[in-house]
Amino acid sequence: GGQQAQVALALALASRAPLLLLDEPLAGLDPLARRDFLVMLREHTRREGATALLSSHLISDLEPVATWLLVLAGGHLVLSGFVDEIRNRHAVVSHGGEAGLGRFRGVTGEELTLVAREDQNDRATLEEIVLGYLAAHRSTDSGNRR
């Protein structure tokens, strides 16, 4: 899988297309191959002035290279914006004294669930924010089915 992904990336980059659409390009790659893949992709987009749109469930891997985030849940857009702005607009507000489930305040003031850390003063990671939105959508969606 890793070698196929590297070949697919090489072919995509060789096309010099201004927009690359990559669906789960990190799936099946070991951590080192994921890092190498993202470094190559980032260098290419900067050098060529291209844009890469990646769909992925590996949020923590994308956080260092992503500039814009779209989160879809149940076919609906639940979060969109520049990664730095999204991270700046969210903070851990409680954690119950230990790592586990906590709450963070969303963009419009609503509280959403996230996996909290013991250190409440840290900014929430992108993965924690995404998980919070997905969990909130899941609980809202399951409440609508009753």
Side-chain angles (χ1 to χ4, degrees):
Q3 290 176 341
Q4 286 179 327
Q6 295 292 350
V7 169
L9 178 62
L11 291 172
L13 299 183
S15 73
R16 295 186 180 251
L19 176 63
L20 300 170
L21 302 174
L22 306 171
D23 184 24
E24 292 288 351
L26 306 176
L29 297 180
D30 64 66
L32 183 58
R34 285 196 305 264
R35 186 195 68 188
D36 292 346
F37 182 97
L38 290 170
V39 167
M40 285 177 25
L41 183 61
R42 182 180 55 217
E43 288 173 359
H44 171 79
T45 56
R46 286 182 179 162
R47 184 177 59 251
E48 300 294 326
T51 299
L53 176 64
L54 285 74
S55 68
S56 181
H57 292 91
L58 301 172
I59 310 305
S60 60
D61 285 343
L62 296 179
E63 188 164 5
V65 298
T67 55
W68 186 271
L69 175 72
L70 293 169
V71 178
L72 302 173
H76 301 283
L77 178 65
V78 296
L79 181 63
S80 173
F82 285 104
V83 170
D84 288 341
E85 291 175 7
I86 288 171
R87 289 194 69 216
N88 288 335
R89 291 190 320 239
H90 293 81
V92 176
V93 295
S94 70
H95 61 78
E98 60 186 49
L101 290 180
R103 306 292 282 173
F104 74 87
R105 196 161 300 285
V107 178
T108 59
E110 74 279 19
E111 283 196 19
L112 302 169
T113 303
L114 92 131
V115 179
R117 296 174 310 279
E118 288 186 30
D119 183 356
Q120 178 174 327
N121 297 321
D122 283 348
R123 286 175 27 184
T125 66
L126 196 59
E127 183 169 19
E128 290 169 327
I129 294 167
V130 169
L131 287 172
Y133 276 86
L134 294 176
H137 184 273
R138 179 185 293 158
S139 65
T140 301
D141 192 42
S142 66
N144 290 338
R145 282 189 242 151
R146 291 183 190 159

